[in-house]
Amino acid sequence: MASASADAAAGDTILVKYGLYLVTDDLGLNGNRCLGSDDGTHTSWDTALPDSSQCIIAADATCRVMTITGSAVTAATTLRGFTLSGGDATSEGDPSNGYGGGLDINGGADPIVERCRMTGNLPGIPSTAGTRPAASCPAGSTSASCGPGASAGCASWC
């Protein structure tokens, strides 16, 4: 996935076949791309069948799972149909870096995140996504509902 994202040009679509994908360094998106899950039988974004229960990106608790960064990332960027788990933002060398163990959206990025689940990530402080709302866990809760945006340490659906 990392090489496909790096090799893709702005505006490209990347469909990822259902499966478990382990990462030891966070995946980064810093330009407009559509990244979505599919069962492997479709060839277009419009016909793909995103299913976050079938396509899991799991970190090894030594890094964040994914970062979407930069003002070049607009609503033309979509992340769709993934579970992001096992991320730990504090393991990246800055103990005060408490944003987005599962997904950190920063630097003016404003993507669409849909049909995604973030679970088992540390710490539980939500990141911000431009002017879009970010999910956060209510006090004492392990779940939250969310729209486009990202949540780190709780179980949430987007």
Side-chain angles (χ1 to χ4, degrees):
M1 244 184 302
S3 63
S5 176
D7 293 343
D12 281 355
T13 295
I14 303 165
L15 294 177
V16 179
K17 187 174 181 180
Y18 297 162
L20 173 63
Y21 298 89
L22 303 175
V23 296
T24 56
D25 194 15
D26 74 327
L27 296 173
L29 284 177
N30 58 11
N32 289 330
R33 291 160 183 76
C34 293
L35 182 64
S37 67
D38 182 63
D39 65 2
T41 63
H42 301 91
T43 58
S44 78
W45 185 260
D46 294 331
T47 60
L49 297 172
D51 185 346
S52 63
S53 71
Q54 299 294 318
C55 201
I56 301 161
I57 306 171
D60 62 357
T62 64
C63 63
R64 153 182 302 121
V65 180
M66 181 175 279
T67 300
I68 302 175
T69 189
S71 58
V73 177
T74 68
T77 296
T78 302
L79 179 67
R80 180 173 80 177
F82 295 96
T83 293
L84 306 179
S85 69
D88 184 354
T90 61
S91 65
E92 295 183 353
D94 180 0
S96 66
N97 183 12
Y99 294 102
L103 175 63
D104 185 29
I105 299 170
N106 65 56
D110 194 23
I112 303 290
V113 177
E114 61 185 14
R115 300 182 194 174
C116 289
R117 183 163 195 248
M118 287 137 221
T119 185
N121 298 293
L122 297 173
I125 302 171
S127 78
T128 58
T131 58
R132 298 177 188 273
S136 61
C137 291
S141 173
T142 59
S143 65
S145 61
C146 61
S151 178
C154 58
S156 64
W157 286 96
C158 300

